[in-house]
Amino acid sequence: MKLELHHINFATRDVDKMSKFYKKILQLKIETNDLPVLEKKRGYSGDVSFVSDGHIQMHIAEKDLEVNFKTGHYINPVEKGHIAYRTDNIEEFKKHLIKNGIKFTDWGNIGVSGWDQIFFYDPDGNVIEVHQKNTNSN
């Protein structure tokens, strides 16, 4: 089971302002490769800007304090943001979390079409996403 850093998500009330800041001040570019297809009708319908340094994506997402109520999942990844890793075997990673007593919520592809996502907390309450791109996706 391989893990690699995929993106960092910041939640904001002003996506445009944040996006302009990161593009101007940190000189990040608009990301066009390997973008998630958001399932806006299934729980999260906020705006998102995608920028990158050419290696790691940053998803600047509109803060939604009620997405966990809309989706039925107890972890809200767009309340304060999260860090995301991509794996090549999400089922094996879930077993790893269970073996280590880490509770997680399995979003499947509720949030992103073509990605299976799980979310869990680190010891300080930071949200971590691990996802696997579906084999029938790009």
Side-chain angles (χ1 to χ4, degrees):
M1 155 186 69
K2 180 177 98 172
L3 279 180
E4 61 184 29
L5 182 61
H6 183 265
H7 69 268
I8 298 168
N9 176 287
F10 282 165
T12 180
R13 296 213 184 273
D14 192 333
V15 171
D16 188 53
K17 182 178 181 180
M18 283 281 280
S19 183
K20 286 178 182 174
F21 173 86
Y22 280 96
K23 288 187 281 187
K24 181 177 182 179
I25 302 304
L26 293 179
Q27 301 178 13
L28 299 181
K29 306 294 182 212
I30 295 172
E31 179 64 73
T32 58
N33 295 320
D34 192 29
L35 295 180
V37 177
L38 301 176
E39 292 289 344
K40 291 197 171 210
K41 294 180 182 163
R42 296 172 72 185
Y44 177 68
S45 58
D47 290 331
V48 181
S49 174
F50 301 98
V51 295
S52 174
D53 66 356
H55 302 284
I56 303 298
Q57 292 181 8
M58 176 182 272
H59 299 178
I60 302 170
E62 185 175 356
K63 187 179 293 253
D64 183 345
L65 299 178
E66 296 185 359
V67 75
N68 51 329
F69 298 108
K70 296 174 194 172
T71 62
H73 291 279
Y74 67 91
I75 295 178
N76 182 341
V78 289
E79 176 183 4
K80 296 180 183 171
H82 59 272
I83 188 166
Y85 293 87
R86 179 168 283 175
T87 184
D88 60 348
N89 190 333
I90 199 160
E91 294 304 320
E92 193 65 31
F93 192 78
K94 289 179 199 176
K95 290 176 189 173
H96 173 69
L97 291 177
I98 292 167
K99 179 181 173 186
N100 286 280
I102 305 296
K103 295 178 182 178
F104 61 92
T105 185
D106 189 339
W107 279 52
N109 63 4
I110 286 174
V112 176
S113 179
W115 291 10
D116 288 320
Q117 300 171 287
I118 60 173
F119 294 93
F120 55 98
Y121 294 111
D122 74 8
D124 276 348
N126 299 299
V127 176
I128 300 170
E129 169 189 334
V130 172
H131 70 264
Q132 180 177 359
K133 205 169 180 183
N134 291 346
T135 54
N136 59 356
S137 300
N138 296 340

